């Protein structure tokens, strides 16, 4: 049993819903009690979809238990088939139905509907949302793909690929697909299918008609891509094109897989110049804590260090399945990877690291708000505000522009930072004022970053510390305390403060 | 499956009722935690359930709003189910961690879910055991919010029934008034003042705002339900000998007047005093409705089942704002609790109880109502089909009871129509 305040991922059947909802002409018959219909609102409210997810819930009740739940399932399945006439039916169980063991797959088989039915095993008490999405996508492809398809070697000039991974309720999947499809087309690659997003069962059948696969979200598509590699000999891309450097490498990878000639270099991002221009000097070494799904977190760490000049002080992910990748990345930045889906642990780690910027999910927004630290979103789960009306991909060159703008926005800019530092006692220029380009800044960050410590502060040192601007005060405090601890001082005096400053710089 | 039956009000007028049993599109009782944990300020709600349950609560409000909520889920894992870990020991450990993190908590609700019920984890026993350990500091209670037994607002019913069952019997001989059902603090304060003006001094509210201020209940307690979904709570109160005051619900000027009058009658308040006490606020309420009547008059409305507030709301909208009722769906029709409401509704609407969502959507699209009240899962899809909707969950999160909120209640229904009038895209 695990105490959980917020969960980063839903149960695995929500992952299955993300795949079913993304696709066309599919219906998902889910054995589940009525409360589980809440999942519809994730799609209709948070993602603002204009159609109900294609899910028929059995909504069995206590009085059905021990008797009739299997019949309730059969009835729901038949009715869903008659009413929606889908080309593919998925059947599965949510947590409660898993416990009553009605075996939806077996029941469906016995009914023998005239459309393909793919049964899903979704172990609710051990697996989670991404796993469920990945498994569902894999089962659909394995069951539907026409294995007789054989691709000839790429015709010179125009190879074909599939784009794999985008689903409903993904973080910017809609725009990432447009961006990457555009890029591939520029490079001279034809698109076979995109899946699961907007793919129909008929499209999935044709998945073998591609020379290679582009995997945008390994959490969802890697298992399928591996199977496709084995079955059809389609290699797949390993680089996630988030950030300018990664996008360039991705282009290189695509050229190799597609046997393409080097074309004129693409240089479509503003990020390099924006980052090199002098105003951005202020971002140098800003302490950033990164948490999200593994893929987005690792990519964010690279952009943060190589392309914006931040310093990574924390890196982690909530999906254990990809923990190894995050551990490897964390080593590069000299931090210990935080692999957990326990919100309280993440909160703890962030408070300790005292970052100046948090890049995370909706959950880290809560933490950022409490600690008074600026925050930007890099990964799901996200709020309705993170499904913007405008085009805002994370991937490709335009994605890099979006990332630069989004991450920089919550920070203090340029000379403003200096002025705040110099005139600390100005009554309008206080901690609560916040960046001038963001109005309605109501938090009072000063009160929350003060953590209990083992070392004591002399009153005058404490007062002096308060004159340090709040956005670097956490770091100053931490450095000073570490300095004192290393020298076995039990009180921090004014001089200790300044000696520590001289020792660490800035 | 759907059957059409018909019920009769006390004067023999008929009300057709569609009873349906099919796919329901209503949250489970866990959802009530979203407002209950704000209402009782030192209570914590620990759901014993699955990842689905945790995900439901954090998604149900449509947003994840509270930085430090007073609710959490003890998520059952494979090892609990396989018997590798003793679920009770695990639960005790979770409660230990929780209470040491939150020393401010004085009352802990263990909330049962579908999984905890299917594996027959007895939370009543667990609550007793934990109470023994933590009393007097923390009182531990339990109830079920499971989706196989409860819908949406029934979670509040379960919670209040558990509170009542755990209440010390009051021995005072003086009659006291108990208002039952979570209301916004401001609404409670207004009602308190009104009852005082009526000369009813001993008024308590259930739930109380803190663990320490839960009311005593006994044979001299007369209780007035402020919410129509409190079937089990009413039963628990009856068991303690408390007496129910039959009344419509305090929504709208008329509903509030009749609700107050029902209590006033028990206390023998004379007509003149009653009129004096409510005259001013009632006329304020009536005035506040005028501006919305212009928007709502003669407009048709269709209710999908959700909060069980549907019947009182339909009565208010039809009688005080001139709306035309099409179908009034409700998860359950507790006829005895809403008898007074049904008296007002006769011959105006079709009621439906239970749900078969696809069939109901067909009826709704066929009827083309001017406004449709529905849950969050259905609202945008219906809007996309050209209907105007009002999400019903907002009716639980906004103060709509009492004279001074009558206008606000009307505004909630008028806003989507006014918005459509404004928009030119
Ligand atoms: S319906 Fe049951 S399993 Fe689903 S969220 Fe509600 S209590 Fe949990």
């Amino acid at each position: 049993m695990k105490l959980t305040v917020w969960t980063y991922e839903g149960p695995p059947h929500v992952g299955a819903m993300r795949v079913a909802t993304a696709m066309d002409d599919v219906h998902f018959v889910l054995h589940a009690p009525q409360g589980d219909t809440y999942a519809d609102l994730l799609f209709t409210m948070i993602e603002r979809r204009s159609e109900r997810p294609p899910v028929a819930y059995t909504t069995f009740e206590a009085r059905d238990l021990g008797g009739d739940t299997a019949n309730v399932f059969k009835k729901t399945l038949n009715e869903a088939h008659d009413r929606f006439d889908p080309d593919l039916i998925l059947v599965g169980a949510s947590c409660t139905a898993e416990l009553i063991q009605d075996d939806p797959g077996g029941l469906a088989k016995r009914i023998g509907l005239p459309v393909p039915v793919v049964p899903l095993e979704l172990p609710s008490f051990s697996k989670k949302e991404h796993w469920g999405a990945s498994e569902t996508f894999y089962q659909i492809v394995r069951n539907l793909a026409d294995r007789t398809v054989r691709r000839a070697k790429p015709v010179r000039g125009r190879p074909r690929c599939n784009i794999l991974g985008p689903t409903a309720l993904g973080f910017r999947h809609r725009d990432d697909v447009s961006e990457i499809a555009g890029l591939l087309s520029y490079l001279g690659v034809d698109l076979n299918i995109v899946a699961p997003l907007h793919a129909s069962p008929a499209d999935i059948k044709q998945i073998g008609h591609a020379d290679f696969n582009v995997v945008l979200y390994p959490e969802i598509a890697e298992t399928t891509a591996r199977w496709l590699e084995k079955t059809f000999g389609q290699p797949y891309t390993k680089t996630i094109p988030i950030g300018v450097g990664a996008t360039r490498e991705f282009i290189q990878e695509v050229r190799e897989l597609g046997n393409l000639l080097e074309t004129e270099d693409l240089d479509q991002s503003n990020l390099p110049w924006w980052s090199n221009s002098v105003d951005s000097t202020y971002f140098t070494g800003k302490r950033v804590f990164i948490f999200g799904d593994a893929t987005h977190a690792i990519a964010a760490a690279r952009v943060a260090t190589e392309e914006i000049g931040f310093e990574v002080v924390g890196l982690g992910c909530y999906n254990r399945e990809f923990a190894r990748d995050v551990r490897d990345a964390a080593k590069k930045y000299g931090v210990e990877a935080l692999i957990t889906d326990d919100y309280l642990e993440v909160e703890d780690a962030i408070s300790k690291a005292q970052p100046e910027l948090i890049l995370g999910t909706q959950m880290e927004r809560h933490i950022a708000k409490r600690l008074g630290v600026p925050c930007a979103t890099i990964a799901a789960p996200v709020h309705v505000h993170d499904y913007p009306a405008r085009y805002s991909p994370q991937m490709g060159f335009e994605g890099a522009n979006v990332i630069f703008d989004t991450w920089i926005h919550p920070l203090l800019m340029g000379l403003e930072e200096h002025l705040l530092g110099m005139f600390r006692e100005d009554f309008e220029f206080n901690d609560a004022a916040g960046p001038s380009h963001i109005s309605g800044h109501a938090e009072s960050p000063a009160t929350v970053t003060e953590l209990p410590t083992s070392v004591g502060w002399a009153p005058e040192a404490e007062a002096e510390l308060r004159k340090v601007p709040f956005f670097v005060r956490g770091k100053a405090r931490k450095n000073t305390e570490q300095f004192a601890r290393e020298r076995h001082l039990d009180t921090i005096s004014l001089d200790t403060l300044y000696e520590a400053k001289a020792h660490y710089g800035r | 499956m759907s059957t059409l039956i018909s019920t009769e009000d006390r004067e023999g007028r008929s009300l057709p009722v569609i009873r349906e049993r099919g796919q329901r599109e209503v949250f489970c009782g866990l959802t009530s935690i979203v407002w209950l944990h704000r209402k009782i300020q030192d209570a914590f709600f620990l759901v014993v359930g699955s990842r689905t349950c945790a995900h439901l609560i954090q998604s149900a409000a449509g947003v994840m709003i509270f930085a430090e909520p007073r609710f959490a889920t003890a998520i059952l894992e494979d090892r609990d189910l396989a018997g590798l870990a003793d679920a009770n020991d695990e639960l005790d450990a979770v409660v230990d961690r929780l209470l040491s993190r939150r020393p401010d908590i004085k009352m802990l609700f263990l909330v049962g879910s579908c999984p905890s019920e299917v594996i027959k984890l007895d939370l009543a026993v667990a609550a007793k055991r934990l109470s023994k350990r933590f009393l007097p500091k923390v009182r531990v209670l339990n109830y079920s919010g499971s989706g196989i037994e409860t819908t949406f607002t029934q979670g509040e019913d379960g919670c209040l029934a558990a509170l009542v069952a755990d209440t010390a019997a009051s021995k005072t001989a003086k009659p006291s008034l108990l208002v039952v059902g979570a209301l916004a603090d401001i609404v409670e304060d207004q009602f308190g003042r009104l009852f005082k003006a009526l000369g009813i001094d001993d008024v308590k509210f259930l739930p109380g705002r803190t663990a320490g201020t839960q009311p005593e209940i006994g044979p001299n307690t007369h209780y007035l339900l402020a919410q129509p979904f409190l079937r089990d709570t009413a039963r628990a109160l009856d068991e303690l000998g408390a007496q129910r005051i039959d009344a419509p619900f305090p929504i709208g000027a008329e509903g509030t007047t009749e609700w107050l009058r029902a209590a006033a009658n028990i206390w023998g308040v004379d007509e003149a005093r009653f009129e004096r006490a409510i005259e001013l606020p009632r006329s304020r309420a009536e005035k506040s409705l005028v501006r919305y009547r212009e928007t709502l008059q003669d407009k048709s409305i269709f209710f999908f089942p959700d909060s069980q507030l549907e019947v009182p709301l339909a009565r208010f909208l039809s009688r005080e704002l001139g709306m035309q009722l099409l179908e009034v769906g409700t998860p359950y029709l507790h006829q005895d609790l809403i008898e007074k409401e049904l008296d007002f509704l006769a011959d105006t609407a079709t009621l439906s109880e239970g749900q078969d969502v696809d069939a109901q959507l067909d009826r709704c699209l066929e009827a083309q109502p001017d406004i449709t009240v529905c849950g969050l899962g259905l609202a945008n899809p219906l809007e996309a089909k050209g209907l105007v909707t009002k999400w019903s969950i907002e009716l639980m999160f906004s103060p709509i009871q009492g004279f001074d909120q009558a206008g606000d209640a009307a505004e909630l229904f008028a806003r989507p129509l006014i918005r459509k009038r404004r928009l030119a895209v």
Side-chain angles (χ1 to χ4, degrees):
Chain A
M1 218 178 270
K2 192 152 190 250
L3 178 63
T4 305
V5 180
W6 299 112
T7 88
Y8 286 93
E9 292 184 79
H13 70 260
V14 168
M17 283 182 70
R18 289 177 56 180
V19 172
T21 305
M23 290 181 66
D24 296 334
D25 309 320
V26 173
H27 216 82
F28 181 21
V29 179
L30 182 66
H31 207 16
Q34 63 175 339
D36 293 9
T37 60
Y38 81 86
D40 283 1
L41 79 83
L42 303 170
F43 300 90
T44 64
M45 294 300 291
I46 297 181
E47 200 183 6
R48 293 184 213 257
R49 284 188 167 254
S50 59
E51 279 176 51
R52 293 170 68 209
V55 181
Y57 303 83
T58 58
T59 63
F60 60 86
E61 296 172 38
R63 59 180 162 179
D64 302 318
L65 291 180
D68 230 11
T69 49
N71 277 327
V72 176
F73 177 81
K74 285 191 263 180
K75 180 171 160 276
T76 310
L77 177 61
N78 279 319
E79 285 176 2
H81 172 258
D82 294 348
R83 178 177 278 268
F84 299 103
D85 190 23
D87 294 339
L88 168 68
I89 294 182
L90 305 172
V91 300
S94 78
C95 50
T96 311
E98 183 186 337
L99 293 172
I100 59 179
Q101 301 186 325
D102 278 336
D103 183 20
L107 293 170
K109 204 161 163 196
R110 256 166 278 151
I111 292 182
L113 292 171
V115 285
V117 175
V118 172
L120 302 171
E121 294 289 335
L122 304 165
S124 292
F125 297 94
S126 53
K127 303 290 190 202
K128 287 177 275 183
E129 180 178 333
H130 276 122
W131 186 91
S134 167
E135 171 70 9
T136 304
F137 184 39
Y138 168 64
Q139 290 300 343
I140 293 174
V141 171
R142 223 180 57 117
N143 277 279
L144 298 190
D146 179 353
R147 296 189 207 185
T148 62
V149 165
R150 282 286 167 268
R151 254 315 259 177
K153 275 270 147 269
V155 200
R156 192 167 249 317
R158 307 245 15 133
R160 274 178 158 215
C161 79
N162 301 310
I163 294 183
L164 305 181
T167 62
L169 208 67
F171 180 60
R172 309 291 165 86
H173 289 194
R174 174 197 72 187
D175 298 343
D176 285 350
V177 169
S178 313
E179 184 68 17
I180 297 306
L183 180 58
L184 290 167
S185 151
Y186 178 89
L187 294 172
V189 181
D190 286 336
L191 213 53
N192 183 44
I193 69 164
V194 177
L197 193 64
H198 303 313
S200 67
D203 293 336
I204 299 285
K205 237 177 137 180
Q206 301 302 319
I207 202 166
H209 277 293
D211 301 303
F212 64 94
N213 289 310
V214 167
V215 171
L216 295 187
Y217 311 102
E219 274 84 352
I220 294 159
E222 196 175 86
T223 306
T224 303
R226 273 208 217 108
W227 183 82
L228 290 168
E229 183 167 46
K230 230 174 48 207
T231 310
F232 295 102
Q234 297 168 336
Y236 62 93
T237 56
K238 312 284 191 308
T239 316
I240 307 302
I242 295 181
V244 172
T247 301
R248 289 190 183 132
E249 283 170 30
F250 172 81
I251 291 172
Q252 199 45 44
E253 202 181 359
V254 167
R255 281 188 179 133
E256 279 160 26
L257 293 179
N259 197 14
L260 289 159
L261 294 174
E262 294 264 335
T263 38
E264 216 176 293
D265 212 24
L266 280 169
D267 198 2
Q268 292 179 343
S269 178
N270 290 321
L271 186 146
W273 170 239
W274 255 243
S275 227
N276 278 295
S277 67
V278 290
D279 198 77
S280 298
T281 310
Y282 298 97
F283 307 142
T284 314
K286 273 216 191 283
R287 302 162 56 81
V288 51
F289 194 104
I290 300 171
F291 195 81
D293 64 73
T295 299
H296 284 92
I298 294 168
R302 176 171 176 189
V303 175
T305 48
E306 292 178 12
E307 300 181 14
I308 303 188
F310 292 152
E311 183 191 338
V312 172
V313 296
L315 176 62
C317 74
Y318 54 74
N319 52 333
R320 258 169 223 291
E321 293 91 338
F322 287 71
R324 186 174 332 137
D325 301 345
V326 174
R327 286 210 181 90
D328 290 347
K331 245 180 246 142
K332 256 195 283 180
Y333 305 109
V335 294
E336 202 182 322
L338 175 68
I339 314 293
T340 181
D341 63 349
D342 185 340
Y343 169 83
L344 299 173
E345 253 178 66
V346 180
E347 183 175 46
D348 218 42
I350 293 180
S351 315
K352 288 210 182 89
Q354 304 206 331
E356 294 161 85
L357 174 69
I358 300 171
L359 302 175
T361 71
Q362 173 63 23
M363 308 306 164
E364 284 65 52
R365 282 227 182 136
H366 293 324
I367 297 169
K369 194 170 165 201
R370 246 161 68 93
L371 301 180
V373 179
C375 180
T377 309
I378 57 154
V382 296
H383 197 281
V384 60
H385 296 155
D386 286 305
Y387 289 95
R390 67 176 187 279
Y391 181 62
S392 33
Q394 295 287 291
M395 294 186 172
F397 292 121
E398 184 56 27
N401 294 338
V402 170
I403 286 174
F404 184 91
D405 290 348
T406 319
W407 295 5
I408 292 331
H409 183 259
L411 298 174
L412 285 161
M413 296 292 283
L415 290 173
E416 185 175 20
E417 190 172 307
H418 283 312
L419 286 173
L420 271 169
M422 284 178 71
F423 307 113
R424 295 269 318 130
E425 264 133 51
D426 183 310
F427 68 98
E428 284 174 316
F429 250 19
N430 53 41
D431 289 356
S436 61
H437 62 289
I438 301 171
S439 59
H441 188 90
E443 295 301 311
S444 167
T447 53
V448 266
T449 37
E450 326 282 324
L451 292 171
T453 61
S454 51
V455 200
W457 283 75
E460 55 308 341
E462 183 85 52
E464 196 78 357
L465 180 69
R466 244 176 268 128
K467 294 182 197 158
V468 176
F470 70 87
F471 43 85
V472 284
R473 193 181 311 148
K475 182 181 171 186
R477 173 184 282 276
K478 198 178 140 120
N479 285 349
T480 311
E481 284 169 3
Q482 188 173 340
F483 182 83
R485 259 194 306 272
E486 279 164 14
R487 280 154 192 77
H488 306 289
L489 307 172
D490 18 272
T491 320
I492 293 167
S493 67
L494 247 165
D495 280 329
T496 324
L497 178 69
Y498 282 109
E499 272 165 39
K501 181 170 188 275
H503 180 79
Y504 288 105
R506 186 175 145 190
Chain B
M1 200 191 334
S2 122
T3 36
L4 185 72
I5 57 151
S6 135
T7 182
E8 281 188 357
D9 73 357
R10 280 175 288 197
E11 275 142 56
R13 291 168 303 186
S14 84
L15 265 171
V17 183
I18 303 170
R19 285 240 154 89
E20 281 185 315
R21 181 108 203 265
Q23 180 183 322
R24 285 171 173 256
E25 180 86 20
V26 186
F27 295 151
C28 58
L30 296 183
T31 322
S32 301
I33 292 171
V34 178
W35 62 88
L36 287 170
H37 89 283
R38 304 318 290 180
K39 179 71 205 177
I40 313 174
Q41 289 159 21
D42 49 7
F44 196 99
F45 293 79
L46 180 66
V47 175
V48 181
S50 62
R51 182 167 303 282
T52 318
C53 307
H55 204 226
L56 164 112
I57 309 176
Q58 79 181 30
S59 316
V63 285
M64 304 171 229
I65 30 180
F66 307 110
E68 182 76 27
R70 285 189 298 272
F71 59 78
T73 308
I75 295 186
L76 292 159
E77 294 168 309
D78 263 351
R79 16 184 271 119
D80 302 299
L81 303 174
L84 294 178
D86 181 87
N88 281 303
D89 293 347
E90 293 275 305
L91 179 60
D92 290 7
V94 165
V95 169
D96 275 339
R97 180 172 178 210
L98 176 73
L99 292 179
S100 66
R101 253 187 79 80
R102 298 296 302 262
D104 50 324
I105 296 305
K106 302 280 184 305
M107 182 150 62
L108 173 67
F109 287 96
L110 304 178
V111 188
S113 66
C114 307
S116 78
E117 276 168 28
V118 169
I119 65 166
K120 301 203 159 48
L121 184 58
D122 193 335
L123 294 182
V125 170
K128 277 212 192 81
R129 179 181 66 240
L130 287 162
S131 262
K132 213 177 273 162
R133 258 184 66 203
F134 291 106
L135 272 173
K137 248 203 91 220
V138 187
R139 201 166 141 197
V140 186
L141 301 175
N142 82 289
Y143 69 92
S144 168
S146 88
I148 51 177
E149 292 196 314
T150 65
T151 72
F152 195 22
T153 48
Q154 280 179 294
E156 177 176 328
D157 189 24
C159 171
L160 300 192
L163 260 179
V164 171
D166 194 58
T167 296
S170 146
K171 288 174 202 75
T172 49
K174 235 181 78 202
S176 66
L177 178 64
L178 183 67
V179 176
V180 185
L183 293 167
D185 294 347
I186 188 171
V187 176
E188 273 184 18
D189 295 342
Q190 290 167 9
F191 284 152
R193 287 194 295 270
L194 280 167
F195 286 122
K196 196 163 201 170
L198 292 171
I200 307 174
D201 289 325
D202 191 0
V203 184
K204 297 273 164 32
F205 292 87
L206 181 76
R209 292 182 198 182
T210 61
T213 56
Q214 299 306 324
E216 295 189 338
I217 297 156
N220 289 308
T221 306
H222 295 265
Y223 70 92
L224 199 48
L225 296 181
Q227 303 282 15
F229 43 76
L230 299 172
R231 178 64 276 174
D232 290 351
T233 309
R235 209 168 282 140
L237 286 162
D238 295 344
E239 266 164 36
L240 293 181
Q243 301 165 54
R244 184 162 76 85
I245 306 173
D246 196 15
F249 292 89
I251 294 176
E254 181 181 51
T256 307
T257 304
E258 294 312 310
W259 187 76
L260 292 168
R261 191 194 303 282
N265 287 344
I266 303 278
W267 261 257
V269 179
D270 66 59
E271 191 59 27
R273 179 166 192 182
F274 183 75
E275 279 303 320
R276 231 176 16 251
I278 69 160
E279 198 183 355
L280 199 63
R282 182 178 55 197
S283 70
R284 262 201 314 263
E286 283 163 355
K287 225 179 294 155
S288 73
L289 295 178
V290 173
R291 51 200 294 214
Y292 300 111
R293 196 168 301 133
E294 169 200 342
T295 304
L296 296 172
Q297 179 91 41
D298 296 326
K299 294 287 192 303
S300 60
I301 187 163
F302 188 110
F303 286 87
F304 279 80
D306 206 53
S307 63
Q308 295 192 45
L309 285 175
E310 294 84 5
V311 171
L313 283 169
R315 180 261 304 153
F316 162 62
L317 294 169
S318 100
R319 291 176 58 91
E320 298 187 45
L321 292 151
M323 292 190 81
Q324 197 196 322
L325 305 177
L326 299 171
E327 181 172 330
V328 180
T330 187
Y332 295 104
L333 211 51
H334 297 304
Q335 297 228 8
D336 54 334
L337 298 187
I338 59 167
E339 210 164 21
K340 287 259 157 69
E341 296 283 351
L342 293 175
D343 287 351
F344 285 124
L345 269 190
D347 293 332
T348 57
T350 299
L351 297 180
S352 66
E353 184 183 21
Q355 192 171 29
D356 180 349
V357 70
D358 289 308
Q360 197 167 29
L361 282 165
D362 289 346
R363 292 199 297 277
C364 178
L365 290 168
E366 167 81 31
Q368 287 289 310
D370 293 314
I371 185 162
T372 303
V373 185
C374 61
L376 295 170
L378 299 177
N380 269 335
L382 286 172
E383 292 273 350
K385 289 197 155 70
L387 296 187
V388 177
T389 63
K390 161 90 242 110
W391 349 314
S392 39
I393 198 165
E394 211 179 348
L395 302 163
M396 286 309 303
F397 289 177
S398 325
I400 55 168
Q401 291 82 359
F403 289 129
D404 287 310
Q405 283 67 239
D408 302 340
E411 196 271 344
L412 286 175
F413 292 90
R415 194 187 312 170
L417 292 166
I418 292 170
R419 179 167 178 75
K420 286 284 134 79
R421 269 207 314 258
R422 278 172 185 250
L423 292 182
V425 290

